[in-house]
Structure formats: structure tokens, C-alpha cells
Amino acid sequence: MSGRPLVSRTAMPGLGLSAGITLFMLTLVVFLPIGALLWKGAQFGPAAIWDTINRERVWAALWLSFRLSFLAAGFNLVFGVILAWVLVRYRFPGRRVIDAAVDLPFALPTAVAGIALTALYAPNGVLGSLAGDLGWRIAYTQWGIWLALVFVGLPFVTRTVQPVIEEIETEVEEASATLGASRWHTLRHVIAPMLMPAALTGFALSLARAVGEYGSVIFIAGNIPLRTEIAPLLIVIQLEEYNYGAAAAIGLAMLAISFAMLLAINLIQIWSRRRIGHV
């Protein structure tokens, strides 16, 4: 056996200390809340959980929340990558202002964002009145919910992809062009595989944020049962009625669906990384 140590020395604290801090923080922030949710659900009982979930209003709210979250994350995946590419590769007046504005949803309280979006897109708002003249209605519809979810989720994709774009040298594109590849071929076969893992990570983060979003949605949604009522609002309603078991049941349904979606995204990420490694 060689004399190489099992754990290499680094500037960071030892393995035991680092692992202990990491495990403690994960337990405090992640494992305990999820464990409490599972425990409350177990106390409520499988039959009661199913009776709570298997209602038209709950299914409609779950379908609305996850469908619009997925559509918003998909839009953010495309537009966020384009925005990151423009901010990294081009220099133009106002670029720094736009780059700083990307972080606005991070700094802005979600309730304030919801009030601002409602004021803009309500029928008597600046943009809402213009849309009304064209026969469109944004606020208090599913379009308004989608718009709010796009707003809160866009920075996750842009900020995740930006560092990767900065690491891609322009010589890569130039080499592809000198070999006779078109811009579309270079984008599809050279640039896109490099961006895919980071883009999928940003998509997953945007999706996770949108699924659990509450503050920025309730003001612009209208909260009409079976039409514009989101699942997190149902949980809040059950909590206000002190029906903690029903709230836990809806939360478990959201947790199960979210886990399945994120698992699928992670499997796609693994596949894309292996595909890049074989190229």
C-alpha cells in the first residue's frame, strides 16, 4: 500500500468538523421540517390523507400550481440562457443596469412583488389597461400567476448559467466556424452541451421556487377556487382553520410530486454529463 493518506489535507477544516457542521445545518434546515411533515402526515393517517387530497378543489390547485410552475420554469430556461449569453458576450449601454436588475426578485419581498405586479397588470393598471384595450386580461387569471412565477424564477437560470458562459472561450466558436460549421450547428453541437448541466440546474431551481411561491402570486391570482387557486394557498387556508392534518396532507402531495419532478431532472442531468464526457 502507498503512503498516500486517505483524506488529503486542504485549507478547509478537517473532515469530521466539516461533515459535522454540514450535517447539523442540513438537519436543522432540511431534515427536521421534512421529518415533521412526514410525522404529522403519519399521525393523520393514509386514509385521511387520501380523503383530503382526492377532492376536485385540491386536484385543481395542484394541477394549476405544478403546470404553471413547469411552464414558467421552461420559459425561464430559454429566456434566462439567452439573457445570460447577452450579458456575458456583448457590451452595450445599460448592460450593468440590466445585470443588476436580474437580482431584483432576490432582494424584493415576494409580497411587494405581488402588489407591484398587480398594480401594473390589473385592469386599471398601466399595462393591464393596454392589454384590456386589446381584449386581454392578465391580472386575476392564470396568465397573471404565470407572469409572477416567471418573475421570481428567472434569476435562478441566468445566474446559474452565467459563470459557465464566462468560462467558454470564444476560440471554441471560432474553431467550429473554421471547420465549416454554421452558427446553428455550433450552437447545437458545441455550446448547448456545455450549457446543458448548468441550464438544467437553473431550471430545477426555478421550478422549485415557483412550486412553493405564495407571496407574489396571491395578490395577482384572484384566488378563485378551481380556476386561479394555488396549492400553497390551500395549505394556508387549512392552517388558518387549525386543520393541521389536512395542511400536512396537501404538503405531502406537493412534496411527492416535487420529488418526482426533481428526480427526473437530476436523471437528465446525469445523462447529459455522461454524454458530454463521451464526446
Side-chain angles (χ1 to χ4, degrees), residues 81-257:
V81 171
I82 296 174
L83 179 59
W85 185 271
V86 171
L87 292 175
V88 172
R89 290 302 176 91
Y90 299 102
R91 297 294 181 267
F92 54 90
R95 185 182 69 88
R96 293 185 180 274
V97 176
I98 297 176
D99 189 43
V102 172
D103 294 326
L104 185 61
F106 287 148
L108 197 64
T110 56
V112 176
I115 294 173
L117 290 172
T118 305
L120 283 174
Y121 292 101
N124 59 345
V126 177
L127 300 179
S129 59
L130 295 176
D133 294 336
L134 298 174
W136 300 337
R137 186 179 180 184
I138 300 176
Y140 316 125
T141 67
Q142 295 185 16
W143 284 109
I145 300 174
W146 177 82
L147 189 66
L149 298 181
V150 168
F151 176 79
V152 299
L154 179 63
F156 289 95
V157 178
T158 301
R159 291 311 187 207
T160 304
V161 174
Q162 241 179 318
V164 180
I165 297 177
E166 291 174 351
E167 293 179 358
I168 300 177
E169 300 291 342
T170 56
E171 287 79 2
V172 175
E173 303 169 55
E174 295 171 358
S176 178
T178 57
L179 294 175
S182 63
R183 290 187 176 182
W184 170 249
H185 189 277
T186 301
L187 177 63
R188 182 180 178 183
H189 295 281
V190 178
I191 303 299
M194 295 181 181
L195 297 181
M196 185 62 69
L200 287 175
T201 299
F203 173 82
L205 293 173
S206 177
L207 177 63
R209 171 65 188 272
V211 166
E213 184 59 27
Y214 176 78
S216 63
V217 175
I218 56 171
F219 293 101
I220 199 172
N223 306 319
I224 303 174
L226 305 178
R227 293 178 58 187
T228 60
E229 188 176 52
I230 59 175
L233 177 60
L234 284 183
I235 296 177
V236 173
I237 292 174
Q238 298 299 330
L239 291 175
E240 290 177 346
E241 296 175 354
Y242 301 101
N243 193 353
Y244 300 121
I250 301 173
L252 286 173
M254 295 188 67
L255 179 64
I257 299 172

